[in-house]
Amino acid sequence: MSVATASTAAPAKVSRLSVFWDSQVGKKFVSAVTGVLLFVFVIGHVLGNLQAFQGAAKFNAYAQFLQNTKGLIWTTRIVMLGALILHATAGIQLYLRARAARPQPYRVPLANPATVSSKTMIWTGLLTLAFIVYHLLDLTLGAALVHSGFVHGDAYLNLVNTFRSSGKVIFYGVSVIGLGLHLSHGLYSLWQSLGFRHPLWTPPITKAAVLIGVVLAIAYLSIPAGVVAGLIRL
Amino acid sequence: MRLTLEIWRQKGADDPGRFVHYDHDDVSEHMSFLEMLDVLNQKLIGKGEEPVSFDSDCREGICGMCGFVVNGYPHGPQPLTTVCQLHMRHFHDGDVLRLEPFRAKAFPIIRDLAIDRSALDRVIMAGGYTSINAGGPRDANSILVGKKESDLSMDAAACIGCGACVAACPNASASLFTGGKISHLGLLPQGEPERKTRALSMVERHSTEGFGGCTVIGACAEACPKGLKLDFIARMNKDYLAGTLTFREEASGGGSG
Amino acid sequence: MPTLDSRIPSGPLADKWTKRKTDLKLVNPANKRKYTIIVVGTGLAGASAASSFGELGYNVLNFCFQDTPRRAHSIAAQGGINAAKSYQNDGDSVWRLFYDTIKGGDFRAREANVYRLAEVSNNIIDQATAQGVPFAREYGGTLANRSFGGALVSRTFYARGQTGQQLLIGAYQSLMRQVELGKVKMFPRTEMLDLVVIEGRARGIVTRDLVTGKVETFLGDAVVLATGGYGNLYYLSTNAKGSNVTAAWRAHRKGAFFANPCYTQIHPTCIPRAGEYQSKLTLMSESLRNDGRIWVPKKAGDGRSPDQIPEGERDYYLERKYPTYGNLAPRDIASRAAKQACDAGLGVGPGGLGVYLDFSDSIKRLGAKAIGERYGNLFDMYNRITGENPFTVPMRIYPAVHYTMGGLWVDYDLMSNLPGLFVLGEANFSDHGANRLGASALMQGLADGYFVIPYTIGDYLARGGLAKADGSHADVKAAEAAVNAREKKLLGINGKHTVDWFHKKLGEIMWENVGMARTKESLEKAIKEIPALRDQFWKDVKVPGVEGEFNQELEKAGRVADFLELGELLSRDALDRNESCGGHFRSEFQTEDGEAKRNDAEYAYAAAWEWTGENKPWTLNKEPLVFENIQLQTRSYK
Ligand SMILES: Cc1cc2nc3c(=O)[nH]c(=O)nc-3n(C[C@H](O)[C@H](O)[C@H](O)COP(=O)(O)OP(=O)(O)OC[C@H]3O[C@@H](n4cnc5c(N)ncnc54)[C@H](O)[C@@H]3O)c2cc1C
Ligand code: HEM
Ligand code: HEM
Ligand code: SF4
Ligand code: F3S
Ligand code: FES
């Protein structure tokens, strides 16, 4: 072993915050907190979206209500965007570090007993990111390239239109399944990132995370499915 | 029994390395895995070939010197068993076994299956101790430790520093090792004074040594021959977070003093 | 024959160490950083010494052959460590620990050393606890104890079945703290291959970097060897594969006396050997004898499975022969009794080389859970190796070479006869006489490293006369050249047999002739065969590879070459000692009922052998053992 080493604990002059953000534990902490915020959003969002089953009037009223409460919507947007950026940056950086930590891959793949969801966080995360970008263009901004015939103010129409395209149904479907997978690990691992693990509580948390992931994915899937099945129609 | 071995041969850090095929036909089920390799090596030397380099010392599962990957499993497929304690009765005639070194940037390959794990020592150097000198301590029984805490601390202290957790982790993280030491000491009153600074400095050293971060995949705990649990990583996170929250500049370096 | 001065302080036994400490010269704290101490070994003895030197302010260079200091073979100790804390209120005291240890050693150790060991034993427990060693605890939070062979009090502290590991990790952590602080410079994967002696003083070592093959010399003001035991001389032993005598042997060849090499401890509870390819033997902690009962069938060649043999047809021979100590009789006695049973054809398992260690009575009495709590990890280990479950099938055990009481001769200050060369732990001969009691090697290693050498080395340094070691001195160059030449020679032979082949042959000679029971004839046979094997080795060994690289065969070759010399000395010492005592049993010298018969009138001395040159006979120096405080008696564990 070489005797020369990096300096130890907590360099005096550097800001605590940057040391924290730089550390693996800090990044995970940020990832967990922002992940919770994002999770709260996707829960609220799916509940709102499910109103589509109650018909155009109800759904559009809900959309209108959101549009009209500017304070609420912009606060949410800013917080969510910030959370997303922090969350994605932390996740991507952790992934890059992990890659750098094993420059020579195994020639025989590890016979890894870990869950698929835990090993694919970066991919389900990136998928979610790509989905969000596309989804904003599709249903919020109504960019012509993505969504022709977009009508501002008629959220219900736009939604039904979207799922008339089978390509979009598939993409939305895959994405929300990805999100479900992401959360089925994320909702368990965030506790660990916050330093909480307990022989009594961790096993049910692990199960609940999977359950929530699955339920959430199904709830989201039900909307394109509803359109395809004709339950949600113009 | 007969085995087919594919063993990773690499002369040194600069050699790209490759798998080399060996037929091994006198394997007894009572042999340990390393004895099986001993026999192979004796044959190779007899034939004028270079024997396979691999590390081992105690051969009873306690020193942590042995370790390589067998068919994708660090220390082989038997749970809670180092490769020196793995016996051939768990394999079958005709099996194909692929042996690779533990791979991580922090573990440079020395030769064949032998690697340099001194990065783990440097993680300990960053604070994996109680800062006391020989000669001064008070009577051992004046420090009471509940049996539960003591047992849990022992669970964490059982780590043999083999590096299998790093080998198994898709992120090449040594968090189980690091969390084990932070927990071993942090669970005891003796380790309490430096608990938080220790976590801060050891986690930092863990990164500068080039290990990846933990994203709670859990493969490490499955591979750990000493059964260390993910609880110890949670404790590391907790102590680190507490250390960050309560950090005061004057306290800097305390963990390593 | 010259006699040796052990420099034991005068005065009453209980005051000797205090007196020595008061009389020692001290090094000015500001000057400590001007001294460099070389410590070879990072086991309990080496790590505790190196970290303590660092704490005191010395510069320390610390070496080990493993890839990290934490893997020294002390890590393998399972059972426990003794101390005279008397926490159990069962009548223990420093005196009693001292007495048990002297008696356990069959009255062949120095009174003063053993007393000091018992005296500082309590500090060790305090020190280790402060380091965070997770010793077993009672529910109330106090430390727990267990009893161990050779004692009637419960004084053994333990950390599950991993006491050595935990104590070593405690010492290792302290060492790493000093490395971080820059006081200790650590050299793992670096093997000492020679001692550098300049003007009669030990001043340095020649090493080989095991990764790059680089041969290098390190110089300092004193050299401390803590390089462990040489049980691997027998090829099969409970020692780690790398354990060796090379460091001590090279020092011996440079003038340090080798004392009592014939005292070899054969441990009674090891897992029997399974086949030809066996590379080492695994110890099952002696603590198992607390709850396990040892027996063999009464009928020779009884082929029935153990559960088919009724109580009346079993011979619990230790309980029968030694009613007071029963299954807790000291190691040498228990081992020999097992050998006698197997020699009589009563042995069990493959080749009849095994006896049962049976837990069924304890399981009935205490429940499987309690037994599992006490010995769970040992049972798992046994199961992993043999594929049998000790909860349902009695364990099979057989004796194996385990510990070497002999080693380099040292005085009371742990300095060898070569000024500046200190020897600690299993590598010296000091405290265990002819037989070591369980749980006392850990105690000795840590006593030496934490509480003795930090004082006594200061005295040596403070006495002065140490000019700066000169790297260009002819003796330095010569030592380095000799190491290089030897490596070249080993690689150049390119003969027919591998190093292991020779090592196994040597082991067979040793085990057959210089094992548990030795006779004049068997020893003379060994003394003939070993040099012949040695000659063959130097003509016919095959060491592949080259010097300048990671070459594990070359490492082994050097070690086996030294074992081939030690084996002869060990046999000669055994032949010279016409008595039986502790780990040295000469069949000619036994009582009617087969117990060891000491000869105090003629052999109450430590035999310190002096190297006189290649192929020349050793000279025997004697250190008479004077017992002022205890009565020599025949050991009785009946
Ligand atoms: C299986 C087993 C169980 C045991 N159980 C107990 C027990 O329960 N209680 C008890 O009291 N005792 C026990 N013992 C005995 C005890 O563990 C040892 O005697 C003791 O630990 C030896 O410590 P040490 O520091 O002298 O040497 P070791 O721990 O053997 O250390 C030797 C050191 O020297 C280094 N070294 C050796 N040669 C060289 C060289 N040429 N160059 C560089 N470095 C070198 C090694 O790298 C190592 O660091 C047990 C022993 C064994 C084998
Ligand atoms: C099948 C599933 C989904 C449907 C039908 C759906 C539908 C909608 C609709 C109709 C809007 C526009 C609301 C409006 O402009 O008033 C919207 C906005 C949005 N959706 Fe979704 N959504 C789905 C899944 C998701 C998912 C999985 C995410 C996140 C990962 C998400 C994130 C957003 C965001 C960020 C907005 C913009 C909100 C804003 O205006 O600030 N959506 N969604
Ligand atoms: C609505 C969207 C998202 C939600 C609800 C979400 C939720 C979560 C949660 C709860 C965790 C666990 C955090 C922890 O264990 O501490 C997590 C982890 C992770 N997320 Fe997301 N995430 C979302 C989007 C993304 C995106 C866009 C990425 C982009 C790259 C991403 C990448 C990751 C990665 C790599 C991890 C594992 C590493 C880590 O825990 O930091 N996630 N996510
Ligand atoms: S935590 Fe387990 S796998 Fe990792 S080094 Fe320690 S013993 Fe090995
Ligand atoms: S496998 Fe790796 S990601 Fe964490 S839980 Fe173990 S260190
Ligand atoms: S060789 Fe010691 S743990 Fe395997």
Side-chain angles (χ1 to χ4, degrees):
Chain A
M1 132 192 31
S2 88
V3 195
T5 47
S7 71
T8 37
K13 288 289 174 286
V14 191
S15 104
R16 237 11 257 172
L17 200 64
S18 82
V19 171
F20 183 67
W21 169 250
D22 211 41
S23 80
Q24 52 158 330
V25 181
K27 283 201 200 301
K28 277 296 280 177
F29 179 81
V30 171
S31 162
V33 171
T34 54
V36 169
L37 290 175
L38 295 168
F39 172 65
V40 171
F41 173 83
V42 293
I43 289 285
H45 191 52
V46 78
L47 291 177
N49 284 345
L50 285 172
Q51 297 181 41
F53 283 101
Q54 292 173 305
K58 191 84 200 265
F59 190 72
N60 275 341
Y62 159 71
Q64 212 50 51
F65 162 76
L66 290 180
Q67 291 299 330
N68 290 340
T69 38
K70 293 277 179 232
L72 176 74
I73 196 163
W74 278 104
T75 318
T76 315
R77 279 177 177 167
I78 289 166
V79 171
M80 288 304 145
L81 186 68
L84 189 67
I85 290 171
L86 284 173
H87 186 84
T89 311
I92 291 169
Q93 286 180 336
L94 280 171
Y95 174 74
L96 292 177
R97 278 193 196 176
R99 283 288 301 263
R102 180 167 292 133
Q104 283 279 329
Y106 283 106
R107 307 308 194 269
V108 180
L110 284 173
N112 224 319
T115 57
V116 177
S117 56
S118 71
K119 287 185 286 187
T120 52
M121 285 306 271
I122 183 66
W123 309 117
T124 51
L126 284 175
L127 177 64
T128 307
L129 189 63
F131 170 78
I132 292 173
V133 173
Y134 182 86
H135 180 53
L136 287 176
L137 294 172
D138 183 24
L139 285 178
T140 304
L141 302 171
L145 202 69
V146 177
H147 195 141
S148 60
F150 184 86
V151 178
H152 280 278
D154 194 344
Y156 190 78
L157 171 88
N158 297 337
L159 184 151
V160 176
N161 263 337
T162 281
F163 295 128
R164 283 197 173 142
S165 143
S166 54
K168 283 193 185 179
V169 170
I170 292 172
F171 181 57
Y172 270 67
V174 169
S175 299
V176 297
I177 291 173
L179 180 66
L181 265 176
H182 195 77
L183 285 172
S184 67
H185 179 68
L187 292 180
Y188 143 74
S189 83
L190 73 91
W191 299 93
Q192 176 92 352
S193 306
L194 299 176
F196 179 82
R197 193 180 187 95
H198 192 277
L200 210 61
W201 298 111
T202 302
I205 287 175
T206 316
K207 291 198 191 88
V210 176
L211 188 70
I212 294 172
V214 171
V215 169
L216 192 83
I218 291 176
Y220 269 119
L221 279 173
S222 75
I223 296 161
V227 175
V228 171
L231 293 171
I232 302 172
R233 64 194 128 105
L234 291 175
Chain B
M1 55 179 155
R2 287 177 56 104
L3 293 175
T4 304
L5 300 171
E6 306 266 348
I7 303 179
W8 185 261
R9 305 300 307 261
Q10 181 174 342
K11 277 208 165 234
D14 305 329
D15 179 6
R18 74 219 68 88
F19 275 112
V20 178
H21 179 107
Y22 299 97
D23 289 312
H24 194 344
D25 47 17
D26 47 0
V27 179
S28 147
E29 56 168 14
H30 296 297
M31 286 178 180
S32 72
F33 205 95
L34 301 187
E35 282 164 354
M36 181 273 287
L37 289 180
D38 287 343
V39 174
L40 175 74
N41 274 348
Q42 295 300 305
K43 281 203 279 189
L44 291 179
I45 299 169
K47 284 197 285 185
E49 293 175 35
E50 296 230 336
V52 180
S53 297
F54 61 90
D55 273 323
S56 79
D57 200 27
C58 74
R59 297 209 174 181
E60 34 186 274
I62 192 71
C63 74
M65 184 116 172
C66 64
F68 44 80
V69 182
V70 183
N71 285 353
Y73 293 96
H75 284 304
Q78 206 60 20
L80 299 176
T81 306
T82 54
V83 73
C84 62
Q85 287 281 285
L86 178 64
H87 278 66
M88 297 314 290
R89 73 179 77 88
H90 299 295
F91 299 91
H92 307 284
D93 193 46
D95 278 357
V96 180
L97 303 180
R98 295 201 179 79
L99 315 189
E100 251 184 292
F102 287 175
R103 292 193 190 273
K105 177 169 159 236
F107 290 170
I109 293 177
I110 293 176
R111 197 183 173 91
D112 301 339
L113 305 174
I115 53 167
D116 176 357
R117 282 165 291 198
S118 54
L120 296 179
D121 287 321
R122 291 188 291 272
V123 170
I124 299 295
M125 276 161 60
Y129 37 73
T130 61
S131 296
I132 55 124
N133 286 358
R138 52 193 176 146
D139 185 83
N141 256 353
S142 69
I143 307 168
L144 297 182
V145 185
K147 189 171 183 316
K148 251 207 183 122
E149 287 70 31
S150 165
D151 284 349
L152 197 55
S153 170
M154 180 63 222
D155 287 346
C159 167
I160 57 174
C162 64
C165 44
V166 180
C169 175
N171 302 348
S173 173
S175 289
L176 193 61
F177 170 86
T178 310
K181 186 50 61 197
I182 288 171
S183 302
H184 157 213
L185 296 171
L187 278 156
L188 298 173
Q190 301 93 300
E192 178 59 28
E194 297 166 288
R195 180 166 60 83
K196 296 173 197 165
T197 44
R198 176 182 303 119
L200 291 180
S201 50
M202 286 182 75
V203 167
E204 176 166 345
R205 182 69 58 82
H206 174 267
S207 302
T208 52
E209 288 298 332
F211 294 108
C214 172
T215 58
V216 208
I217 292 171
C220 52
E222 301 284 336
C224 174
K226 295 294 140 181
L228 268 75
K229 299 204 187 78
L230 296 186
D231 303 50
F232 302 135
I233 302 182
R235 188 169 283 277
M236 167 179 89
N237 293 343
K238 188 168 89 184
D239 287 350
Y240 186 93
L241 295 173
T244 300
L245 278 177
T246 59
F247 186 77
R248 288 195 312 271
E249 292 301 337
E250 316 86 87
S252 80
S256 52
Chain C
M1 280 174 217
T3 53
L4 281 163
D5 181 9
S6 53
R7 301 190 53 241
I8 295 171
S10 57
L13 186 61
D15 300 339
K16 283 183 194 291
W17 179 228
T18 314
K19 178 168 186 326
R20 174 54 50 87
K21 283 194 288 188
T22 343
D23 293 348
L24 289 174
K25 273 193 178 330
L26 297 178
V27 179
N28 177 343
N31 283 341
K32 285 192 178 134
R33 66 189 154 76
K34 295 185 187 149
Y35 290 107
T36 297
I37 304 176
I38 290 173
V39 180
V40 189
T42 59
L44 287 178
S48 56
S51 64
S52 301
F53 293 150
E55 287 162 10
L56 289 171
Y58 296 110
N59 291 314
V60 185
L61 309 178
N62 193 190
F63 300 81
C64 69
F65 65 76
Q66 291 93 345
D67 65 336
T68 142
R70 66 181 289 156
R71 308 210 201 284
H73 196 51
S74 296
I75 200 98
Q78 302 167 345
I81 177 167
N82 285 334
K85 284 279 193 190
S86 195
Y87 282 161
Q88 306 307 323
N89 207 19
D90 57 359
D92 201 5
S93 63
V94 167
W95 174 268
R96 203 177 282 277
L97 174 54
F98 153 73
Y99 184 78
D100 285 349
T101 309
I102 280 269
K103 177 182 168 200
D106 218 351
F107 306 97
R108 287 292 174 267
R110 261 184 219 146
E111 273 187 346
N113 280 56
V114 178
Y115 194 87
R116 174 177 66 190
L117 177 64
E119 217 178 326
V120 301
S121 66
N122 293 341
N123 302 6
I124 298 172
I125 303 303
D126 299 342
Q127 164 73 7
T129 302
Q131 284 170 336
V133 170
F135 284 123
R137 300 272 170 169
E138 306 291 357
Y139 282 99
T142 53
L143 289 150
N145 288 116
R146 58 165 59 138
S147 39
F148 233 63
L152 293 174
V153 291
S154 201
R155 62 159 76 100
T156 304
F157 294 80
Y158 62 101
R160 269 190 213 149
Q162 289 126 279
T163 316
Q165 180 200 26
Q166 292 311 314
L167 290 168
L168 182 61
I169 286 179
Y172 157 78
Q173 287 171 185
S174 291
L175 180 62
M176 288 295 102
R177 173 166 163 252
Q178 294 305 315
V179 176
E180 179 78 10
L181 293 170
K183 291 313 294 176
V184 176
K185 214 166 172 265
M186 189 67 229
F187 299 87
R189 288 209 202 257
T190 307
E191 182 162 20
M192 164 180 168
L193 293 179
D194 210 349
L195 180 74
V196 175
V197 181
I198 304 177
E199 273 137 29
R201 295 185 189 236
R203 293 306 297 268
I205 60 173
V206 182
T207 62
R208 177 170 182 270
D209 180 324
L210 299 182
V211 177
T212 64
K214 186 168 174 229
V215 171
E216 212 177 336
T217 303
F218 294 89
L219 298 175
D221 298 292
V223 178
V224 177
L225 297 189
T227 47
Y230 49 82
N232 270 351
L233 163 60
Y234 288 76
Y235 187 71
L236 287 181
S237 82
T238 62
N239 287 9
K241 288 303 283 176
S243 299
N244 67 83
V245 75
T246 290
W249 194 254
R250 294 285 125 191
H252 172 57
R253 292 176 53 119
K254 284 285 167 81
F257 297 165
F258 209 109
N260 298 340
C262 78
Y263 295 154
T264 332
Q265 180 164 87
I266 316 257
H267 195 290
T269 52
C270 302
I271 301 178
R273 165 183 148 143
E276 266 305 299
Y277 46 78
Q278 187 100 18
S279 62
K280 75 154 279 161
L281 294 168
T282 303
L283 173 80
M284 290 281 97
S285 167
E286 165 165 63
S287 62
L288 290 169
R289 291 201 272 145
N290 275 320
D291 290 299
R293 299 178 68 197
I294 294 175
W295 62 275
V296 289
K298 281 189 176 155
K299 200 165 78 216
D302 193 331
R304 288 175 292 176
S305 78
D307 55 329
Q308 298 299 315
I309 303 178
E311 206 54 36
E313 293 174 41
R314 302 175 173 189
D315 180 11
Y316 294 90
Y317 56 84
L318 284 178
E319 295 171 21
R320 173 170 57 76
K321 291 187 189 168
Y322 309 98
T324 312
Y325 280 74
N327 292 301
L328 288 176
R331 292 176 176 177
D332 51 336
I333 290 180
S335 291
R336 226 160 22 243
K339 179 179 157 57
Q340 280 158 4
C342 294
D343 287 350
L346 302 170
V348 297
L353 291 178
V355 299
Y356 289 124
L357 177 61
D358 196 337
F359 288 86
S360 47
D361 286 344
S362 307
I363 292 174
K364 253 180 245 146
R365 186 160 42 91
L366 303 165
K369 187 163 171 280
I371 295 297
E373 259 167 32
R374 277 181 211 177
Y375 309 111
N377 60 334
L378 295 170
F379 281 22
D380 288 348
M381 188 165 177
Y382 182 82
N383 191 350
R384 261 198 296 279
I385 293 172
T386 61
E388 291 171 2
N389 176 4
F391 280 107
T392 51
V393 185
M395 278 185 179
R396 282 175 298 110
I397 54 166
Y398 196 66
V401 174
H402 175 57
Y403 184 89
T404 50
M405 279 73 70
L408 293 179
W409 183 88
V410 288
D411 64 16
Y412 187 72
D413 289 348
L414 303 182
M415 187 162 85
S416 74
N417 58 304
L418 263 182
L421 178 70
F422 293 80
V423 191
L424 319 181
E426 192 171 343
N428 75 21
F429 89 115
S430 69
D431 294 0
H432 306 296
N435 173 53
R436 174 179 71 82
L437 285 186
S440 59
L442 301 182
M443 171 169 73
Q444 182 222 340
L446 292 177
D448 289 359
Y450 285 132
F451 300 112
V452 179
I453 191 79
Y455 294 88
T456 58
I457 208 164
D459 182 64
Y460 172 75
L461 296 172
R463 280 172 197 283
L466 284 160
K468 191 169 166 15
D470 171 12
S472 61
H473 195 284
D475 292 348
V476 178
K477 295 287 156 220
E480 209 177 298
V483 167
N484 275 314
R486 189 159 179 258
E487 311 265 276
K488 281 221 171 56
K489 190 166 171 200
L490 284 168
L491 288 162
I493 299 168
N494 199 16
K496 276 202 301 293
H497 297 294
T498 61
V499 176
D500 281 4
W501 186 89
F502 283 100
H503 198 175
K504 280 184 192 171
K505 281 260 173 285
L506 174 63
E508 278 162 25
I509 298 175
M510 294 304 298
W511 182 250
E512 282 307 313
N513 302 300
V514 204
M516 266 182 283
R518 306 156 173 183
T519 62
K520 183 164 180 291
E521 292 69 39
S522 75
L523 293 168
E524 281 169 346
K525 187 157 169 261
I527 291 169
K528 233 176 60 221
E529 288 180 3
I530 296 168
L533 186 66
R534 190 165 66 221
D535 289 344
Q536 194 191 352
F537 175 89
W538 283 106
K539 285 198 204 87
D540 208 15
V541 72
K542 179 167 185 152
V543 185
V546 295
E547 274 164 277
E549 63 177 20
F550 189 65
N551 187 338
Q552 294 175 314
E553 286 295 311
L554 181 59
E555 293 168 28
K556 281 196 278 186
R559 294 171 193 161
V560 172
D562 290 335
F563 281 140
L564 281 162
E565 293 177 4
L566 167 69
E568 182 186 343
L569 177 63
L570 194 152
S571 311
R572 287 188 184 279
D573 185 41
L575 182 63
D576 205 65
R577 189 167 281 279
N578 289 310
E579 65 165 348
S580 293
C581 58
H584 168 65
F585 190 81
R586 284 278 299 271
S587 303
E588 303 95 319
F589 307 102
Q590 52 180 311
T591 61
E592 268 108 75
D593 42 1
E595 302 298 339
K597 204 158 107 197
R598 283 199 327 265
N599 178 348
D600 293 330
E602 284 176 90
Y603 289 95
Y605 63 77
W609 297 90
E610 180 176 352
W611 175 264
T612 59
E614 210 79 55
N615 297 322
K616 291 210 191 104
W618 279 269
T619 306
L620 174 62
N621 300 278
K622 291 181 182 174
E623 180 203 333
L625 295 170
V626 187
F627 294 91
E628 292 167 337
N629 299 280
I630 51 172
Q631 279 276 307
L632 268 65
Q633 37 166 271
T634 303
R635 267 193 328 169
S636 168
Y637 292 92
K638 296 228 153 165

